[in-house]
Amino acid sequence: MVNAIEWVEGKVIMLDQTRLPLEVKFIECADYRKVAEGIRKLWIRGAPAIGIAAAMGVALAAQDIRADHYDSFMNKIEPVFFELLSTRPTAVNIQWAIERIKRLLAEHRGEPVSTLKDLLIREARKILEEDIEINKAIGRWGAEFIEDGDTILTHCNAGSLATGGYGTATAPMRIAKEQGKLFQVIADETRPVLQGARLTAWELMQEGIPVTLITDNTAGALMQSGDIDLAIVGTDRTARNGDVANKIGTYTVAVLCKENKIPFYVAAPLSSIDFSLPSGEYIPIEERSPEEVTLVNGRCQIAPDGVNVRNIAFDVTPHKYVTALITEKGAFRPKDLKKLMKTNAETERFRFRP
Ligand code: MRU
């Protein structure tokens, strides 16, 4: 398994995912601006991975700050938070990571600046390590939904490349494979950036999980003919009513699943649930450059010069289409998410079972 992001000897090393699958090239980021550029340009992408990148970006920035006390350190780190937050608006994970870092700094108010700098490195590495463990837990719960002989549809890439490792939507597949279950995956190519074709297909092939690539508009036909048993996708931000923002095209898949009576699961670390938002209409949706649509792989032009383009990067799937959200604490129906906020003790009672 190739790591999407690592902290190595005071630098952030990220895999340039825009070059995959043709080239495996790593980019060394020695300062936070390079990390921000990497997030914007999709060298690193996927909600949990960009949260980790933001935390590492803050840690890098901190090392270059000249300050002799807490307040002046905070004044200098604040603009870094803003710059990283401005890179990609839909995934909640950048915001989540920065809020976590702010809380940590507040708890250590008054400590020497050198201690704060060390703390930020440790926290960024911890966020990465925790993410992998969380994904494995998602995998253990999610594997219960996979049976021998199943064909699983997935959209975009919610694999190890989109996370610290192991993936969210792919974690149940990995665990099911470890359990000896025999199943196959259908990957939507995921226009326009082709995360499904370039990343998911590549990753699953490396894992030895049988995968078939389809164009996005093929999914409906395969559902109609009974060739898909369940769908598992990731999420960039989920509102507290269970509405799910994920890569553009996810909504279409969910509606098709409902029409064809196919369970539609969303694999989601609790950190990607934004309990401050009552519903999906409040989720900010990123629009990206027209060139992602008019050029394939940034090179080959496929549309007339000057054509109008809408390139909406994410859509919102209303919770009525979501069979269950598979989190590190178990799977839950969207309507039960709110109860997770209240008490851990009740968690067990609300778990959704296959
Ligand atoms: O634009 P991207 O490639 O960052 O979009 C990624 C997705 O939509 C993923 O499905 C989502 O972030 C979940 S990743 C575990």
Side-chain angles (χ1 to χ4, degrees):
M1 188 174 75
V2 185
N3 294 325
I5 186 158
E6 275 182 298
W7 178 276
V8 183
E9 292 169 3
K11 296 201 172 85
V12 176
I13 308 295
M14 55 174 76
L15 175 63
D16 180 354
Q17 297 189 29
T18 63
R19 294 173 187 264
L20 288 174
L22 301 180
E23 208 184 331
V24 178
K25 187 170 179 258
F26 293 90
I27 296 181
E28 191 178 281
C29 306
D31 63 71
Y32 85 91
R33 288 205 167 85
K34 189 97 173 169
V35 173
E37 181 185 2
I39 298 173
R40 249 189 219 104
K41 293 187 173 165
L42 309 184
W43 300 339
I44 183 136
R45 32 67 50 203
I50 60 179
I52 296 162
M56 290 188 175
V58 171
L60 268 185
Q63 310 312 307
D64 293 334
I65 288 178
R66 303 259 167 277
D68 43 21
H69 54 82
Y70 182 87
D71 289 337
S72 64
F73 178 80
M74 287 308 289
N75 285 341
K76 291 183 177 167
I77 201 95
E78 282 285 345
V80 175
F81 297 154
F82 282 115
E83 182 161 346
L84 289 163
L85 282 167
S86 73
T87 51
R88 296 202 70 195
T90 300
V92 72
N93 304 60
I94 297 183
Q95 193 183 318
W96 171 86
I98 288 184
E99 275 161 15
R100 175 166 160 165
I101 285 165
K102 282 184 178 169
R103 280 197 303 276
L104 179 80
L105 288 170
E107 281 160 20
H108 292 270
R109 167 179 283 278
E111 302 235 7
V113 169
S114 58
T115 306
L116 302 178
K117 292 183 176 186
D118 289 346
L119 273 174
L120 289 178
I121 296 178
R122 236 178 299 147
E123 192 67 3
R125 299 181 85 161
K126 196 165 151 206
I127 289 175
L128 169 66
E129 282 157 21
E130 284 176 8
D131 185 62
I132 298 171
E133 290 314 308
I134 286 168
N135 294 341
K136 288 185 176 167
I138 289 174
R140 287 190 289 274
W141 290 110
E144 294 186 12
F145 297 95
I146 302 176
E147 287 175 10
D148 257 339
D150 274 350
T151 298
I152 308 164
L153 178 73
T154 192
H155 189 72
C156 193
N157 173 264
S160 72
L161 292 166
T163 62
Y166 230 75
T168 57
T170 58
M173 304 172 194
R174 284 174 201 267
I175 301 275
K177 178 167 185 274
E178 283 167 26
Q179 293 170 340
K181 290 180 186 166
L182 295 173
F183 61 93
Q184 57 162 327
V185 178
I186 305 258
D188 279 346
E189 64 175 349
T190 320
R191 279 278 292 154
V193 181
L194 302 172
Q195 289 93 333
R198 296 186 304 103
L199 310 178
T200 303
W202 184 74
E203 243 191 85
L204 293 179
M205 285 172 81
Q206 287 198 337
E207 288 298 316
I209 294 176
V211 57
T212 301
L213 179 64
I214 57 169
T215 59
D216 297 324
N217 38 14
T218 302
L222 288 184
M223 290 186 198
Q224 221 171 24
S225 57
D227 288 317
I228 292 173
D229 298 293
L230 69 158
I232 313 180
V233 302
T235 173
D236 289 82
R237 190 187 299 234
T238 293
R240 68 166 181 262
N241 70 343
D243 291 352
V244 171
N246 192 49
K247 179 54 55 194
I248 193 79
T250 302
Y251 170 51
T252 320
V253 170
V255 174
L256 283 167
C257 280
K258 184 105 180 167
E259 169 68 18
N260 290 283
K261 300 187 175 47
I262 292 167
F264 176 83
Y265 297 109
V266 177
L270 290 173
S271 60
S272 68
I273 302 172
D274 187 343
F275 286 104
S276 75
L277 297 186
S279 66
E281 68 192 291
Y282 297 96
I283 298 175
I285 298 293
E286 175 182 10
E287 288 209 32
R288 294 184 61 86
S289 80
E291 287 74 28
E292 284 184 352
V293 177
T294 58
L295 305 177
V296 172
N297 250 354
R299 281 184 289 273
C300 177
Q301 186 171 339
I302 53 163
D305 284 330
V307 68
N308 279 337
V309 171
R310 288 290 304 275
N311 184 14
I312 304 167
F314 299 94
D315 58 27
V316 174
T317 299
H319 60 272
K320 66 176 179 181
Y321 295 108
V322 177
T323 308
L325 283 121
I326 307 168
T327 76
E328 65 269 36
K329 289 205 172 174
F332 302 90
R333 288 192 188 279
K335 70 175 171 55
D336 290 331
L337 272 189
K338 274 181 251 150
K339 291 168 188 147
L340 272 180
M341 273 169 82
K342 288 195 188 129
T343 152
N344 272 349
E346 282 188 311
T347 304
E348 178 65 36
R349 229 159 35 96
F350 295 113
R351 281 210 185 97
F352 174 81
R353 297 281 178 183

